[in-house]
Amino acid sequence: MALSQLIYTSYPAFPIRPGSLTGALGEIMNAGREHNSRNQISGILGVEVNRFFQILEGPPAKVLETFDRIQHDRRHFGVQLKHVGALEVRTFKDWSIGFAAPAFLPSGEPAQIDFDTVSVQTIINRGLLLRRCGVIAEAGLKTPSASGF
């Protein structure tokens, strides 16, 4: 099966409380879990202090359909497409929300990165870091947990 990877950033239209899956962020998690499992999409939604980044992986048409839907979601604004391209092997085999909570990140890692200036690989690495060390809310969980400890 052909795979595609799409990466974008945006700004939340609501206050972010690190590790909280209530309100709009909980709605995003639930909608993502249902939609993505039906459409064979995996990836991560990274939640920084005042920024989202999302990495979507899956069948090319489904990834583009998902991004089109996401662009019209009023729970965020300022959507910036950072990358879209073919992918041989999924980097993220499930779908989750990762919080860049300073208490869980390795010493010296910033609580947020400048998505306007970093490379696509840096964004992917940030997603991997959040999967390994951040506070993660996985697709099947109701509450966030510390990952990698």
Side-chain angles (χ1 to χ4, degrees), residues 44-104:
I44 187 167
L45 172 62
V47 181
E48 302 275 326
V49 174
N50 65 347
R51 199 86 179 253
F52 289 143
F53 73 92
Q54 186 158 15
I55 302 170
L56 298 170
E57 299 174 339
K62 295 295 183 182
V63 167
L64 291 175
E65 286 173 18
T66 300
F67 182 61
D68 185 55
R69 181 180 50 81
I70 287 169
Q71 289 183 88
H72 296 93
D73 190 319
R74 293 182 179 197
R75 293 174 289 201
H76 67 152
F77 62 94
V79 176
Q80 295 180 352
L81 180 62
K82 298 293 184 178
H83 167 76
V84 64
L87 184 67
E88 288 190 30
V89 178
R90 291 178 193 257
T91 306
F92 301 92
K93 296 186 189 302
D94 59 1
W95 188 80
S96 60
I97 292 182
F99 296 90
F104 294 103

Side-chain angles (χ1 to χ4, degrees), residues 97-120:
I97 292 182
F99 296 90
F104 294 103
L105 294 175
S107 178
E109 281 294 329
Q112 71 183 81
I113 59 176
D114 183 354
F115 290 103
D116 295 326
T117 62
V118 298
S119 69
V120 167

Side-chain angles (χ1 to χ4, degrees), residues 3-4 6 9 13 22 49 53 66 94 100 103-104 113 121 127 141-142 144:
L3 293 173
S4 180
L6 185 144
T9 62
T22 59
V49 174
F53 73 92
T66 300
D94 59 1
F104 294 103
I113 59 176
Q121 188 58 53
L141 298 179
K142 291 188 167 100

